[in-house]
Amino acid sequence: MKLGDGVEQAIHSVTLLAALPAEGVLSAAALAEFYGVSTSYLLKHLQALSGAGIVHAVSGPSGGYRLAKTPEKITLLDIVLAVEGPEPAFRCKEIRRNGPKPLAKRYFKAPCQVNAAMLRAEQAYRQALRAVTVAQLIAEVKSDDDGSIARRSRAFFDQNMRQPGSKP
């Protein structure tokens, strides 16, 4: 299974937003700059995260994005589904019914075994993503940080964090 680049960008953006003070927001451009990615591409994923209720978009000249939920309530599955959509990765087209001299429909009453196996695998994958929260990811990063990551984030916030209602 291959996930789009937007999933990685969305997960990292959510983890960075989780470190913001409660009153702060970051613009899409600032988030894109922090990760060295395209603003327009990231904005598409931030909008999907907003639509899913994971981030809150604050409009206006000093607007931007902040979390809409606590990091403990956001799972990796929430983010993946927001960006990639809810459809299963494998979509059976029932090709077993095609080709020369196809068998009668009576041979295809049971669900396709390939589809059933792929759906079981997807359920396991989704359960594993559901078990990991953004708060857990942040705790892991903090446990490995010698202080450099925290200093980089604080410096970036000092330069780029906005407070809605204030002048940009």
Side-chain angles (χ1 to χ4, degrees):
M1 175 182 312
K2 181 178 179 181
L3 298 175
D5 292 342
V7 171
E8 178 185 12
Q9 293 179 19
I11 293 170
H12 280 289
S13 294
V14 168
T15 59
L16 186 61
L17 291 173
L20 278 174
E23 70 281 357
V25 298
L26 287 175
S27 69
L31 284 163
E33 177 188 346
F34 189 79
Y35 292 113
V37 299
S38 160
T39 301
S40 59
Y41 187 65
L42 180 60
L43 186 57
K44 171 183 159 186
H45 302 300
L46 289 168
Q47 290 170 343
L49 291 168
S50 179
I54 296 169
V55 301
H56 176 67
V58 177
S59 59
S62 58
Y65 293 88
R66 66 173 161 230
L67 290 189
K69 301 177 180 181
T70 64
E72 294 79 14
K73 295 198 183 277
I74 303 169
T75 69
L76 289 183
L77 181 63
D78 296 330
I79 298 169
V80 169
L81 293 179
V83 173
E84 294 285 323
E87 292 294 319
F90 182 81
R91 294 174 192 95
C92 185
K93 304 285 189 211
E94 283 289 349
I95 66 169
R96 65 188 180 150
R97 296 179 183 204
N98 300 341
K101 299 182 184 179
L103 294 172
K105 289 184 181 181
R106 66 185 165 100
Y107 291 102
F108 304 109
K109 289 181 181 176
C112 174
Q113 293 84 354
V114 171
N115 187 41
M118 296 301 286
L119 289 177
R120 284 191 303 273
E122 176 124 5
Q123 288 171 349
Y125 160 78
R126 287 183 179 211
Q127 184 56 40
L129 292 177
R130 188 179 290 114
V132 180
T133 67
V134 170
Q136 290 169 316
L137 288 178
I138 292 168
E140 289 176 22
V141 170
K142 285 181 179 178
S143 73
D144 292 340
D145 186 13
D146 65 0
S148 300
I149 295 170
R151 281 191 299 279
R152 177 182 183 229
S153 298
R154 277 193 303 275
F156 186 78
F157 292 162
D158 289 345
Q159 289 182 330
N160 294 282
M161 188 177 76
R162 299 172 171 185
Q163 293 183 347
S166 64
K167 294 189 178 192

